[in-house]
């Protein structure tokens, strides 16, 4: 378990869904679209075609079942990771145990935890989201994202929008917590895989800057689409 837990002040945010889109409401009245809502609305046509073709290949009903199972799996794994980072004892279900055993060695290298499943708002770019974790990995402060998969991703290309999601959260953390001396420029995606050590994707400042630029372009496109 982490030896240091120095949590930043949490943001009280309410999640609402309207017409298939997710928004977050803050106590000061902000109502902003989630990171996933923006990414889904601005998804490139090639990615839409890939998803459509996959659903046609496996069948819509099967595709929905796969997606639902993956969602439940991710939610459960996040719950155990959250408990671990908060210094609580872990007792995994049999279904979640393979994912927990995959990711646990990486979590042992996480320390100085500052944020766990925390809401963040970027009032200037007008978006919000829930950050999995802000902590230090091998002594380096970063934003962390936990994912699950049935097989390794192996390449950045197969992460699809995950790096943009990560850059969005990092930017929001830096924006919202700037008065607390938070200025992150590195990030981590860890993917838990059954019977396999978790995949670790580490992003240095140069990569983060590139993904941040791409994310800002997606945000601009989103608001252009909303004005039509």
């Amino acid at each position: 378990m982490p030896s240091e837990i120095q949590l930043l002040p949490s943001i009280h945010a309410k999640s609402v869904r309207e017409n298939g889109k997710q928004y977050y409401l803050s106590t000061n009245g902000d109502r902003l679209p989630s990171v996933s809502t923006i990414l889904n609305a601005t998804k490139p046509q090639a990615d839409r075609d890939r998803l459509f073709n996959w659903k046609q290949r496996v069948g819509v009903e099967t595709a929905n079942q796969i997606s639902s199972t993956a969602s439940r799996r991710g939610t459960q794994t996040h719950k155990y990771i959250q408990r671990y980072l908060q210094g609580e004892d872990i007792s995994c279900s049999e279904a979640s145990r393979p994912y927990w055993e995959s990711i646990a060695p990486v979590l042992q290298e996480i320390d100085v935890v500052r944020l766990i499943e925390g809401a963040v708002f970027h009032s200037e770019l007008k978006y919000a989201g829930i950050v999995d974790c802000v902590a230090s990995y091998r002594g380096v402060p970063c934003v962390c994202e936990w994912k699950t998969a049935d097989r390794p991703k192996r390449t950045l290309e197969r992460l699809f929008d995950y790096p943009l999601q990560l850059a969005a959260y990092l930017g929001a953390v830096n924006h919202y917590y700037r008065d607390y001396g938070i200025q992150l420029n590195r990030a981590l995606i860890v993917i838990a895989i059954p019977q396999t050590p978790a995949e670790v994707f580490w992003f240095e400042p140069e990569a983060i800057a590139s993904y941040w630029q791409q994310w800002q372009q997606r945000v601009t496109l989103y608001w252009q689409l909303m004005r039509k």
Side-chain angles (χ1 to χ4, degrees):
M1 295 181 182
S3 62
E4 290 189 58
I5 302 176
Q6 306 172 6
L7 296 181
L8 294 161
S10 61
I11 304 171
H12 297 288
K14 179 182 178 181
S15 173
V16 297
R17 295 194 70 85
E18 297 178 9
N19 301 318
K21 296 182 174 64
Q22 184 180 35
Y23 300 88
Y24 287 100
L25 309 178
S26 70
T27 54
N28 64 6
D30 286 334
R31 177 184 177 280
L32 300 178
S34 69
V35 171
S36 58
T37 289
I38 292 174
L39 288 173
N40 288 335
T42 60
K43 192 182 295 293
Q45 189 59 47
D47 288 350
R48 295 183 188 278
D49 292 343
R50 176 183 55 80
L51 182 59
F52 175 81
N53 292 336
W54 172 70
K55 288 183 177 180
Q56 294 301 304
R57 186 169 66 252
V58 303
V60 174
E61 184 176 348
T62 299
N64 290 338
Q65 290 175 348
I66 292 172
S67 297
S68 295
T69 299
S71 178
R72 289 194 299 270
R73 174 187 75 203
T75 298
Q76 283 294 107
T77 304
H78 271 74
K79 180 177 70 175
Y80 295 126
I81 293 172
Q82 181 175 0
R83 289 176 179 172
Y84 172 87
L85 294 175
Q86 291 172 166
E88 302 174 14
D89 291 332
I90 305 299
S91 179
C92 283
S93 67
E94 284 304 310
S96 297
R97 187 173 301 280
Y99 299 94
W100 172 255
E101 291 176 347
S102 173
I103 205 170
V106 179
L107 296 178
Q108 292 172 9
E109 299 186 272
I110 298 292
D111 208 348
V112 194
V113 179
R114 306 305 309 277
L115 207 60
I116 306 170
E117 299 292 333
V120 286
F121 285 73
H122 200 302
S123 56
E124 291 180 5
L125 292 181
K126 299 188 183 304
Y127 70 89
I130 303 294
V131 180
D132 285 354
C133 179
V134 174
S136 291
Y137 172 66
R138 295 182 176 177
V140 181
C142 63
V143 170
C144 310
E145 276 290 305
W146 321 119
K147 305 292 185 182
T148 61
D150 287 329
R151 58 183 62 86
K153 300 294 184 180
R154 303 191 194 284
T155 65
L156 286 175
E157 289 72 22
R158 295 187 64 187
L159 295 180
F160 299 108
D161 278 342
Y162 286 173
L164 295 185
Q165 180 187 41
L166 195 64
Y169 292 149
L170 185 147
V173 168
N174 285 343
H175 175 77
Y176 192 88
Y177 288 106
R178 58 190 181 278
D179 292 339
Y180 292 84
I182 300 297
Q183 192 60 44
L184 304 171
N185 59 9
R186 291 174 172 83
L188 175 74
I189 294 176
V190 185
I191 303 177
I193 308 160
Q195 285 79 52
T196 305
E199 282 187 300
V200 175
F201 292 88
W202 177 252
F203 299 87
E204 290 285 352
E206 184 177 355
I208 291 297
S210 175
Y211 287 122
W212 175 244
Q213 184 178 30
Q214 294 176 52
W215 166 247
Q216 291 180 90
Q217 293 170 352
R218 297 282 284 268
V219 174
T220 299
L221 176 58
Y222 174 84
W223 289 111
Q224 289 173 346
L225 293 172
M226 292 303 102
R227 287 192 289 269
K228 289 184 178 180

